[in-house]
Every structure is written in structure tokens, then in C-alpha cells.
Amino acid sequence: MVKLTCASSFWALPASIRPLFRSPHLVLSCRRYASKDVSPGALTIGGHSYPIDSWTNVPPNILAQYGRKLHVQSDHPLSITRQLIASRFPSFRNHDSLPGVVTVEQNFDSLGFTPDHPGRNRTDTYYINQSTLLRTHTSAHEVDVFRANESDGYTISADVYRRDAVDKSHYPIFHQMEGALTWDRKAFASSEACIQQITKDFEALPKHPLVVEDPNPTYQPSNPLQTQYHSPEEAEILAKHLKRSLEDMVVTIFAEADKGLAAAGHRSKSEDEPLKVRWVEAFFPHTSPSWELEVWWQGDWLEVLGCGVIDQPLLIRAGQPDRIGWAFGLGLERLAMLLFGIPDIRLFWSTDKRFLSQFSEDGPIRRFQPFSKHPAAPRDVSFWLPKTDAPIITNTPATASTAASPAGGQPTEPSTSDQAPPAFHENDLMEIARNVAGDSVEDVTLIDDFTHPKKQRRSLCYRITYRSLERTLTTEEANRMHDHITRELIEKYRVEIR
Ligand code: FA5
Ligand code: MG
């Protein structure tokens, strides 16, 4: 339950938070203040009260889901996946209950995000107020955990929040698992001795038969060595240890999936299509060099994690100047989808027994059996945008590994925060759709983008696919949701429906 306190009137609040008042999940308590300068209100999340301001953009549907902790819910597929991954890192200390409200400093500054990094934009991140937000990644806790220095290796599993695309592999709340391992140079007589130890640890890692595509050198100008801090030998052995550890983790996940299939008398997945993975170069402000690991899934490459050699200035800020090491962050949903054959990310939020009863922490992994298939109800919305010089942001490559994201992605793309706010940002439409239709919206895709040559007006057409996972939607229900979304688009963006 989210509690909202307010002063004066609804209209005194920033437009972005007004919809909060319509939520049945909010308790509203208003009090009149004599002074005009008092804070316009506060949000209570997880038992703490936070003042709201003009940056507040976290919507009620997100707050209503806050604190579900699916990653530790017993017999939940996300929890099973988390435990399976953790079992590959037996000496690591596991942190599973760090609170999701963090500071801008934790989420961005502590990791070396530049002030103009696009991930900081309100179009990408849910802000509670100007200095507080819902974490966009588990890396938000890296510096704190390094500073506490309780173990050489650790994992952090948690819910994370992003304004993002709506489709079968993206959801505004998902779960990440962070892992890091460091070696203390101080504990060795020389840097060679430290390298020897990492080499020994690497040789002790399980070997696997997997063929891995890894065409790039460990570092090159596009993915640089931290020359000021690391020798080439250190970076090479850290990269080898990191990649082998993560490949082993993926192989384990698939071996478990195969065992489950065999136990149920099915052909193993690897007999049909051998596991294919590849390393691609990436960029994160908090690692260098950096990579993403992709797995071939349903005819396409699916990115499952980002990783790299930890940025040394980050370790220095955390009071660990002598430690060197690696870190990764993976999407638990992505791996659970591969492990159990779960076709749609919305299913993880289901409270339907037909879903939850299929998974058990004790038994072998079993392939998910769809319990229903309901028809899709696609509807298009086509509109003219008002004439404007402000940026219009569409077709955000949510799944592209080079895309800017609230967790890294693109190093150079400038932020729009200092410029005029976008006249239209696709993520706003995604949020309207989730707010109005909840989990009955399966996908939102731009299908046409056209600028009238004479009038110089731009027209967009989005296909919104409605489909409930639990029942068949009636035509009237789909129409009602679609009309509601269309109305909000008109009100918010002054678009003209075509
Ligand atoms: C990060 O979040 C980095 N913090 C990861 C990292 C940690 C890099 C430590 C280096 C060192 P990224 O934005 O790529 O990176 O997200 C990591 C993973 O989360 C992705 O590979 C993907 O598996 C998953 N993911 C990202 N966005 C979504 C989404 N909207 N829905 C579901 N899973 C997602
Ligand atoms: Mg990524």
C-alpha cells in the first residue's frame, strides 16, 4: 500500500504525479498548511516517506507492484533461477533484500555515469523526487557492498525498474542478479603472484564443451584497457576468468533444462538445436573492457547479461584501491525464460495457480506447459504530432546491445535533459498502455512513421496488441482500453488522430 500526503489542491501538484490520485492503491491524506513554501506532498514506499517534487514520475501501477520480491518467493521460477545461478558461485556472499529506493548518487554518480548520460532522463527512469529513484539496476549497490568488504565474491539479486518497451521480453519491473569477484593485490608479494593466483583459479573452473563466438581481442580502442590501473596481463586473466565463469553458468542452466526434458521423456533441447552463445563488446561506465553475452533463442540473439573488468576508480571510491576484479549483471527473467521455456515476461507476475503450481524448488526443472491460449486483439492508433522543434523519440532499440539504457549502453549519445523536454517519447506511450491496460497489453510496436512532405507534419502509427494471459478479452474490453489510451495521448500530447 502506498500512502500519499498532500498540501493544498490536486492542481498544485506537478502534472506527472496527478494520476497517482486516481489509484485505488493509494491512501490520500490531505492537510492544509499556512505557508506556501511547504513541500507539495510525500509518497510512502516500503514504510518510508519521501517528498515529491517536479521530478516525480513514478506511476501508481509501478508502486502497486513494489515489494512483491518475486526473486525470493518460494517455488517461483525467478527464485529457482536465482538459486541455480548462485550455486555456481558457492563462495560468494548473497544479498537478496536490499531496498529498491536508492539515491541518484548510488544509481548513477557512484558508478561514474556522466552528468549527461541519457539513462538519467525522466523518460527512462522512475524518479521519486530529484535525488531519489527506483533503482534501474543492481549495480546501484556495488560501491556500498565493495565498501563493506565482507567477501571476495558477492551476488546481489533484486527487483529493478525502468521505463522501457512493452513486448514479450520487456517489463517495467524486472529482476537482476549482480555478481562480482575481486582479488586483493596487497595479499600477494608481487603483481605477478596475484596474476598467478587468478590463473590458478581460472584453471580450477569447470571446463565446458560449448562453442563460443568471441571474435574480438580482450581490449582495443573501442573497448579500452584501463592503462593507468591495469597491466595487459591483469586485464587478460580477469577477462578469461570472468568469461569462463559466466559460460559455465549458462551451460549449467541449459544442462538443467535438458535434464528436466529428459525426465519428462522429451528430446533434449540440445538435440534439436545445440546451444549457441556469443560475446559482444559493450559499454558500461562502471567496467572496462566490457561485454554482453547473448544466447540464440527463438531464431534471434537474446542478450542475457552485461559484464566487464571493474572500473578501478569505482573501487578506489569504495575504499578498495588494491582490489582488482570483474562484475556482471544479468536479467533473471531472461534466463528463467530460457530455463523453463516461459514465452512471455508477464507470466512471472501471475498469481494464477495454473502458472505457479508448475514450479518446485525440490523437483527437476520442468518445461512450462501453457495452460491457455487466448486470441490477440490488435488495435492501431495513428496520429499527427503537433508541429514542434522539440525532440520526438521513437523506435527506441530496447533490445539492441548498443542502445543507451538506464544502466549503461551507449557512451556518447547526449542526454536530452538540458534541452527542451521531448515533445513525444515512446516510453510515455508504453507507460500509458501499461497504466490503462495493465498486463492485458502484450506488445506495443511502431508500424509506421511518416512525414508529410508539404505540411512537414509527422505521423506515427503504433500497433497495440491486447491479449490477457488468463482469459479471452471481449471486443468491447479491447475497444474500451484502446479508446482510453487514445484519449490520454490526445490529452497529454495534443496529437490529432488520423
Ligand atoms: C546493466 O544493467 C548493467 N548494470 C549490468 C552490469 C553489471 C554490467 C555489472 C557490468 C558490470 P543492462 O542494461 O544491459 O546492463 O541490463 C542487464 C541485463 O538485464 C540485460 O542483459 C537483460 O538480461 C536484462 N534486462 C535489461 N532490460 C530489461 C527489461 N526491460 N526486461 C527484462 N530484462 C531486462
Ligand atoms: Mg544491455
Side-chain angles (χ1 to χ4, degrees), residues 3 21 51 61 67 126 182 184 186 275 287 290 294 332 454:
K3 196 169 155 204
F21 287 82
N61 63 320
Y126 291 115
T182 58
D184 187 358
K186 250 196 350 264
L275 179 59
T287 51
S290 308
E294 298 185 342
L332 277 173
K454 279 202 191 122

Side-chain angles (χ1 to χ4, degrees), residues 163-222:
R163 294 182 95 234
D164 211 335
V166 171
D167 64 31
K168 287 186 178 185
S169 64
H170 288 81
Y171 200 79
I173 313 177
F174 61 100
H175 297 77
Q176 283 190 336
M177 186 164 181
E178 188 99 356
L181 181 61
T182 58
W183 287 262
D184 187 358
R185 281 167 170 161
K186 250 196 350 264
F188 300 94
S190 64
S191 71
E192 288 71 40
C194 179
I195 291 171
Q196 270 167 22
Q197 181 61 50
I198 305 174
T199 309
K200 231 170 107 189
D201 293 344
F202 166 73
E203 280 159 5
L205 291 172
K207 299 193 177 44
H208 61 72
L210 187 64
V211 182
V212 183
E213 248 181 67
D214 190 6
N216 293 305
T218 299
Y219 54 87
Q220 55 181 332
S222 56

Side-chain angles (χ1 to χ4, degrees), residues 162 282 284 292 303 305-306 398-403 405 409:
R162 293 186 193 177
F284 299 101
E292 283 175 337
E303 177 203 318
L305 63 86
T399 45
S401 53
T402 50
S405 87

